[in-house]
């Protein structure tokens, strides 16, 4: 009936309004979190084929919320991307990751490459974003190939976008570029050559089915072969089983990341276990 329809409409419009209020609250809280230093970076080691030595680590943001505890990025990064706050958060992530990388280097005397996630919205067109990267590396006396910037495929698809030029500058300065979530995005691969990409990270969805699905293995094999022909290294994301590990080793996958080896952890734990393990 008519009145029932109206009730439903009111119900939904009410729910949508709630959602909008909730979002505004989240945005306000994120601004405060930036000021009060509530964001932290966790580190997940990335291992060689044998799954023993870690020479890289991915920096993954967490929000240490005073009431709600530790919040994962999926709960707030998309909202930050929607309203522009991602720029400030991204700047904080860059600064912290470079500072941490410099500290790891100082502690161990060895290079531990730190991989930083980057939203396409952070990469401005006037080059300031790249300038900031270079300045921050210089400030900490950090060899620039200590840092890896992770971007998704769609960031690099349009050859006419000014983003291309910025990525080329990064590459020129010696910062490595990794393609995140490889395989789930667009299918044009021209950018791999155009931008001198260093690393492909095969999306977890492909790795997940390798144990049970021949065609997943074939796909992963094809990606690795193509990458190696282009002199691009390969990281498998989300390795969870020993079966996947052995298959990836057989396929000559260069690096492995996943819960089978280690979960993301606070930088202190990361230092104890992977930067200065001999001191344990
Ligand atoms: P991502 O870049 O694909 O990061 C990998 C995600 O997979 C991480 O989730 C990690 O904890 C999780 N993971 C690692 N190994 C395994 C595994 O073996 N099994 C399973 N099921 N998951 C695994 P997390 O930390 O929740 O991050 C989610 C996403 O948030 C990231 O996906 C990335 O897109 C985004 N993100 C994280 N940190 C930042 C940041 O500093 N800036 C930006 N812009 N985005 C970030
Ligand atoms: Ca990533
Ligand atoms: Ca490069
Ligand atoms: Ca990924």
């Amino acid at each position: 009936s008519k009145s029932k329809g109206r009730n439903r409409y009111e119900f939904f419009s009410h729910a949508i309004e709630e959602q909008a209020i909730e979002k505004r609250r989240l945005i306000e809280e994120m601004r405060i979190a930036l000021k009060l230093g509530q964001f932290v970076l966790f580190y997940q080691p990335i291992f060689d084929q044998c799954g023993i030595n870690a020479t890289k680590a991915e920096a993954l943001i967490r929000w240490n919320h005073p009431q709600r505890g530790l919040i994962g990025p999926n709960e707030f990064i998309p909202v930050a991307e929607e309203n522009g706050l991602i720029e400030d958060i991204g700047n904080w992530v860059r600064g912290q990751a470079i500072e941490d990388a410099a500290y790891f280097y100082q502690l161990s005397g060895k290079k531990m490459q730190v991989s930083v996630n980057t939203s396409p919205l952070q990469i401005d067109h006037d080059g300031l974003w790249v300038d900031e990267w270079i300045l921050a590396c210089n400030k900490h006396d950090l060899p620039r190939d200590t840092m890896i910037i992770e971007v998704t495929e769609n960031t690099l698809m349009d050859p006419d976008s000014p983003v291309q030029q910025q990525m080329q500058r990064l590459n020129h300065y010696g910062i490595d570029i990794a393609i995140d979530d490889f395989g789930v995005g667009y299918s044009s691969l021209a950018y791999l050559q155009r931008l001198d990409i260093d690393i492909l990270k095969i999306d977890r969805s492909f790795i997940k089915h390798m144990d049970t699905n021949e065609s997943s293995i074939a796909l992963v094999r094809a990606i690795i072969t193509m990458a190696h022909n282009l002199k691009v290294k390969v990281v498998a994301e989300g390795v969870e089983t020993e079966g996947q590990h052995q298959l990836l080793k057989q396929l000559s996958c260069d690096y492995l990341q996943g819960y089978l080896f280690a979960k993301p952890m606070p930088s202190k734990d990361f230092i104890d276990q992977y930067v200065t393990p001999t001191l344990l």
Side-chain angles (χ1 to χ4, degrees), residues 202-274:
I202 304 179
D203 191 67
R204 186 165 75 226
S205 54
F206 297 104
I207 307 303
K208 196 171 163 181
H209 298 114
M210 284 182 82
D211 288 324
T212 50
N213 190 330
E214 281 292 326
S215 66
S216 289
I217 299 176
L219 249 159
V220 170
R221 179 188 290 121
I223 293 173
I224 293 173
T225 304
M226 174 201 65
H228 285 171
N229 284 336
L230 293 169
K231 302 204 163 48
V232 173
K233 299 280 188 200
V234 180
V235 176
E237 299 196 273
V239 183
E240 291 186 349
T241 70
E242 193 49 42
Q244 291 161 2
H245 175 197
Q246 289 315 318
L247 285 167
L248 287 160
K249 213 168 139 185
Q250 279 167 31
L251 298 180
S252 303
C253 185
D254 303 285
Y255 300 104
L256 309 166
Q257 180 179 4
Y259 293 167
L260 176 67
F261 307 106
K263 290 195 168 173
M265 61 190 87
S267 74
K268 192 191 164 298
D269 298 346
F270 178 73
I271 288 169
D272 289 347
Q273 291 178 45
Y274 299 100

Side-chain angles (χ1 to χ4, degrees), residues 31-42:
R31 288 215 173 83
I32 296 168
L34 269 170
K35 274 199 201 117
L36 299 184
Q38 291 171 357
F39 291 114
V40 287
L41 289 183
F42 272 34

Side-chain angles (χ1 to χ4, degrees), residues 156-222:
L156 305 177
M157 284 312 297
D158 176 6
D160 300 321
S161 152
V163 168
Q164 302 284 314
Q165 201 196 341
Q166 299 313 323
M167 298 310 287
Q168 244 140 16
R169 282 183 63 215
L170 274 182
N171 186 43
H172 173 78
Y173 281 117
I175 292 178
D176 280 357
I177 303 171
I179 305 302
D180 205 357
D181 308 335
F182 183 78
V184 297
Y186 296 82
S187 54
S188 160
L189 298 171
Y191 67 86
L192 284 178
Q193 236 175 349
R194 193 167 65 230
L195 293 174
D196 193 9
I197 298 301
D198 302 284
I199 298 166
L200 280 191
K201 301 189 74 173
I202 304 179
D203 191 67
R204 186 165 75 226
S205 54
F206 297 104
I207 307 303
K208 196 171 163 181
H209 298 114
M210 284 182 82
D211 288 324
T212 50
N213 190 330
E214 281 292 326
S215 66
S216 289
I217 299 176
L219 249 159
V220 170
R221 179 188 290 121

Side-chain angles (χ1 to χ4, degrees), residues 49 68 93 101 123 128 131 229 266:
Q49 274 185 9
R68 295 167 56 197
V93 169
I123 309 174
L128 207 64
D131 296 345
N229 284 336

